Amino acid sequence: MNAPQNPLRPFESLEFDDLFVRSLPADPHTHIVSRQAPNAAYSFVTPTPVAAPRLIAWSDPLGALLGIAQPAAAGSAAEVLGGSRVLPGMKTYAARYGGHQFGHWAGQLGDGRAITLGEILDTHGQRQELQLKGAGSTPYSRHADGRAVLRSSVREFLCSEAMHHLGVPSTRALSLVATGEDVVRDMFYDGHPETEPGAVVCRVAPSFVRFGNFEIFAAENEAANLRALADWVIRQHYPELGEPGPHAYADWFAEICRRTGVMIAHWMRVGFVHGVMNTDNMSILGLTIDYGPYGWLEGFDLAWTPNTTDAQGRRYCYGQQPQIAHWNLTRLAGALYDLIADEEALRAGLESYRISFEEHWAAMLADKLGIRLDTETNAEPDTLLSDLFTLLQETETDMTIFFRRLADVPTDADVSAAARLAPLREAFYDAAALDDQPGRALAAWLNRYAKRVSADGEPSDARRARMQAANPKYVLRNWIAQLAIDDAAQGDSAKIQRLLRVLERPYDEQPEAADLFARRPEWARHRAGCSALSCSS
Ligand code: AMP
Ligand code: MG
C-alpha cells in the first residue's frame, strides 16, 4: 500500500493564525475581572491551567479533516486541549457579545468560559477556529467560574459530532479533556450544590461569531466596530457576496436568514430541541451552536422542551423553534439597521427566512413520509401531515422509531390494518393503545397514506432510500447520553467511543447497535439528564 498522501500532523506542530485578532479591535485591558469592555470585539485572555488534563475522547473524522493525529491521553497536546499550555503563535482571546435572553435584552455577555486558541487551515484550505470551552475565567465570566462540568462537556462533544453526521449544520468538537478538577454546581438551582468532575471541549467552526456580537455593538452605538465586524464576516465567510457595501450587507443578511431556515428545518427533521435559543446562541454562519440543555424528542410532542428553566413558558420548545429563529433574526435585523438602512431590504431578508424554512421543511417532510409534494392527485396535502402530527401527539409515540419504521409499512391496497400497524408497534410507549381507538385512528390514517403513496407511483426502492436518508436510525437520545456520562464520571469512556462510532453513520442499519434504537426506558422518564436538563453546566 502507498503511504497516505497527507500524513496527520502532531497537534503541537499546528500553525496558528489570528486573523480575527488582527482584523478587529482588542480590549486594551487584560485583567481578568468581570467587567464591561467597551469598544472591544474581544479580550486577550489565557486559559487557566488545570490539575491533570487527560484526553478522554477524540473525533477521528474531525481530526482527519484538520489533518491532526490523535494525541496521547496525557502529554503536551492534552495539556493544550485542556487549557494548561499555550503553543507559540496562539493569541488566545474571549469574544465580546451581547444577547436577548428569553425575550429580553441582557446587555453584554461574552465568552465567559470559552477561549479561542486561534485559527488553522484544514485539509481543504478552509479556515477553522479552535476554541476551548470550560477553560477558565475571562472578563465576561460575570458571576460564574469559567468552567464546565463533565456531563455537559460529554453532551456537547457527542452532539456536535452527531449533528454533523446527520447532515445538520453545526459547530464541531475535536476533543474532550477531563481536567482532574472538581467543579461545584447546583444543578437545579434548588440549594443543593454538589461537586462534579470538570472537563474542557475543543470546539471547531469556521467562526463562532453570533448574532449577539453585532447586537452589542449596535446597543452600545459602536458603529465603526459594527461595520468592521460585518466586513470581516463577509470577507472571510461570505466572499461570494463581493466587497462589503450597502448591497453586500443586504444580501448577506438575506443569506444568514436563508441558512438559518435550512438549519431549523433540519432540527425539526431530526427532532432536535436546542433548548436555549437566545440570540447569543445563534451563529452568524447558520450553524447549530452552544449545546447546553438541548434534547432529542423521544415521544413526538410539539410542546416538549428539555430545559427546566423554560418549563413554564416553553418559549424554546420543539414546535416554537421556527418562530423563535424568526424573532432572533428580527433582532439581528435591528442590530444591522444602521449598516443596511433599508427597511425593505431587511424585510425581504426576513421573508427569505420564511421561504427557506418552509421550502426545506416541506421537502424534508415529504422525504420523511416518502410522498411527493407535487402530485396532482393529491387532494389533501396539508391534512395528511397535520393529522399525523395530531395522532403522534395524542398517543406517546417515539419520533425516531416511528419515522424510521414508516418505510416498512406495506402500502398495497388490500392490506389489513394489523399488517399496516405491525412495523410501527415498537414506536408506541403504550402498546395496548394500538389495539384500541388510537390504533384504529392510526390505521385509518395509514390507509389514506397508502393511497397517497400509490397515487405518487414512485418505485418503492427509490422511495425507501429517500425515506431512510431523511429518517435517522440513531440519534443521541437523552438517556443514552446519560449512560455514557455515568460511566465517564467513573473514568470509563468506552460508551462515549462507541456512541461516537455509531453516530458517525446515523442512517445506516447497524445491527450491533440495536440497543441504541430503542424507546426511552421507564427509569429514564424522570431522571435528571434524561428528560429534564437545567442550564447549569
Ligand atoms: P449559555 O446560555 O450557556 O449560552 O451562556 C450564557 C452566558 O453565560 C455566556 O456568556 C456564557 O459564556 C456564560 N456562562 C455560562 N456558564 C458559565 C460559566 N460556568 N462560567 C462563566 N460564564 C458562563
Ligand atoms: Mg451561549
Side-chain angles (χ1 to χ4, degrees):
M1 275 204 18
N2 293 329
Q5 296 224 311
N6 293 309
L8 299 178
R9 308 165 274 182
F11 186 87
E12 298 88 330
S13 74
L14 290 178
E15 278 176 33
F16 282 87
D17 191 9
D18 55 7
L19 198 59
F20 186 85
V21 163
R22 284 186 282 127
S23 311
L24 294 157
D27 172 10
H29 306 289
T30 52
H31 53 297
I32 307 176
V33 55
S34 291
R35 57 190 165 82
Q36 297 296 302
N39 269 306
Y42 58 88
S43 302
F44 288 115
V45 56
T46 10
T48 307
V50 299
R54 199 172 167 78
L55 182 72
I56 57 173
W58 174 263
S59 166
D60 283 328
L62 181 54
L65 174 69
L66 300 178
I68 310 174
Q70 176 170 349
S76 61
E79 286 166 14
V80 177
L81 293 166
S84 288
R85 175 197 289 259
V86 171
L87 293 174
M90 286 179 174
K91 294 218 170 60
T92 57
Y93 67 86
R96 172 173 174 248
Y97 54 80
H100 279 84
Q101 298 189 315
F102 294 92
H104 305 281
W105 175 242
Q108 179 186 291
L109 299 165
D111 286 330
R113 54 175 167 170
I115 297 180
T116 291
L117 298 179
E119 301 149 26
I120 62 171
L121 293 183
D122 69 20
T123 51
H124 301 308
Q126 157 86 53
R127 194 170 275 271
Q128 300 279 3
E129 179 178 336
L130 270 57
Q131 181 183 78
L132 301 184
K133 182 163 172 182
S137 298
T138 78
Y140 309 101
S141 297
R142 296 177 294 154
H143 303 296
D145 59 3
R147 293 301 187 190
V149 290
L150 179 66
R151 77 183 135 81
S152 65
S153 305
V154 170
R155 285 166 47 81
E156 175 141 25
F157 176 77
L158 284 175
C159 202
S160 308
E161 291 302 280
M163 290 283 267
H164 168 76
H165 294 296
L166 282 164
V168 185
S170 178
T171 64
R172 302 202 50 188
L174 179 63
S175 62
L176 173 64
V177 169
T179 58
E181 287 180 8
D182 281 341
V183 176
V184 179
R185 289 288 181 275
D186 184 357
M187 201 199 295
F188 286 104
Y189 308 110
D190 60 356
H192 295 96
E194 286 185 21
T195 58
E196 299 185 46
V200 175
V201 171
C202 179
R203 311 196 286 191
V204 178
S207 170
F208 285 91
V209 169
R210 303 131 191 276
F211 293 5
N213 296 69
F214 293 91
E215 288 180 280
I216 191 71
F217 290 152
E220 300 295 326
N221 295 313
E222 298 175 21
N225 291 342
L226 184 76
R227 182 174 300 265
L229 183 62
D231 291 359
W232 182 82
V233 169
I234 292 171
R235 288 202 180 102
Q236 288 309 312
H237 301 289
Y238 294 83
E240 66 281 6
L241 299 178
E243 260 306 283
H247 284 297
Y249 294 139
D251 291 349
W252 170 56
F253 178 64
E255 177 60 12
I256 298 165
C257 290
R258 193 196 63 78
R259 288 192 194 184
T260 304
V262 174
M263 174 186 81
I264 300 289
H266 277 291
W267 290 4
M268 302 304 283
R269 172 176 68 84
V270 299
F272 174 80
V273 187
H274 183 284
V276 210
M277 287 178 71
N278 294 330
T279 56
D280 51 302
N281 292 337
M282 295 289 294
S283 144
I284 207 71
L285 303 183
L287 305 172
T288 313
I289 191 171
D290 274 15
Y291 292 88
Y294 68 81
W296 294 82
L297 284 191
E298 292 188 274
F300 181 88
D301 180 1
L302 291 165
W304 186 72
T305 174
N307 184 355
T308 51
T309 313
D310 192 28
Q312 284 289 313
R314 302 199 173 265
R315 179 180 173 85
Y316 297 143
C317 68
Y318 175 64
Q320 277 286 104
Q321 297 186 123
Q323 282 85 324
I324 290 293
H326 185 273
W327 192 91
N328 288 345
L329 285 162
T330 309
R331 303 285 83 69
L332 179 62
L336 300 180
Y337 186 83
D338 284 349
L339 216 51
I340 298 178
D342 176 349
E343 221 160 289
E344 265 320 295
L346 289 167
R347 241 189 282 276
L350 289 170
E351 181 63 6
S352 60
Y353 165 75
R354 198 187 55 74
I355 294 169
S356 164
F357 169 71
E358 283 177 7
E359 285 185 357
H360 285 93
W361 179 220
M364 289 177 197
L365 272 175
D367 287 342
K368 284 180 85 63
L369 272 74
I371 57 177
R372 287 198 201 276
L373 285 178
D374 51 359
T375 35
E376 306 251 306
T377 47
N378 158 23
E380 43 171 14
D382 295 320
T383 60
L384 190 72
L385 290 171
S386 55
D387 290 353
L388 174 63
F389 282 6
T390 308
L391 288 172
L392 294 181
Q393 215 34 54
E394 277 172 358
T395 313
E396 195 176 24
T397 315
D398 189 276
M399 179 183 181
T400 304
I401 298 178
F402 181 90
F403 280 101
R404 184 72 182 188
R405 286 280 191 247
L406 192 58
D408 299 330
V409 170
T411 54
D412 304 328
D414 51 355
V415 170
S416 70
R420 288 226 214 281
L421 288 173
L424 301 172
R425 280 200 174 265
E426 62 185 300
F428 289 83
Y429 282 78
D430 172 13
L434 272 195
D435 301 319
D436 210 336
Q437 196 280 332
R440 288 192 291 278
L442 180 58
W445 184 88
L446 288 171
N447 274 335
R448 286 166 60 199
Y449 169 68
K451 280 198 193 109
R452 169 74 177 266
V453 166
S454 309
D456 284 347
E458 183 176 9
S460 65
D461 283 357
R463 174 174 171 272
R464 194 182 158 80
R466 191 157 68 91
M467 292 177 79
Q468 303 297 52
N471 294 315
K473 178 143 190 179
Y474 306 102
V475 297
L476 185 61
R477 290 172 180 274
N478 314 304
W479 59 276
I480 288 177
Q482 186 59 44
L483 292 175
I485 291 166
D486 291 344
D487 281 11
Q490 303 302 316
D492 176 1
S493 64
K495 287 201 174 104
I496 297 177
Q497 321 301 343
R498 176 176 183 232
L499 283 175
L500 258 185
R501 273 196 313 277
V502 172
L503 295 171
E504 260 176 46
R505 300 187 292 123
Y507 300 98
D508 292 358
E509 296 291 330
Q510 301 181 51
E512 68 288 357
D515 57 314
L516 303 180
F517 181 69
R519 288 192 312 268
R520 179 196 55 227
E522 276 310 301
W523 62 258
R525 187 178 286 274
H526 299 295
R527 199 185 144 192
C530 295
S531 55
L533 290 132
S534 81
C535 281
S536 153
S537 58

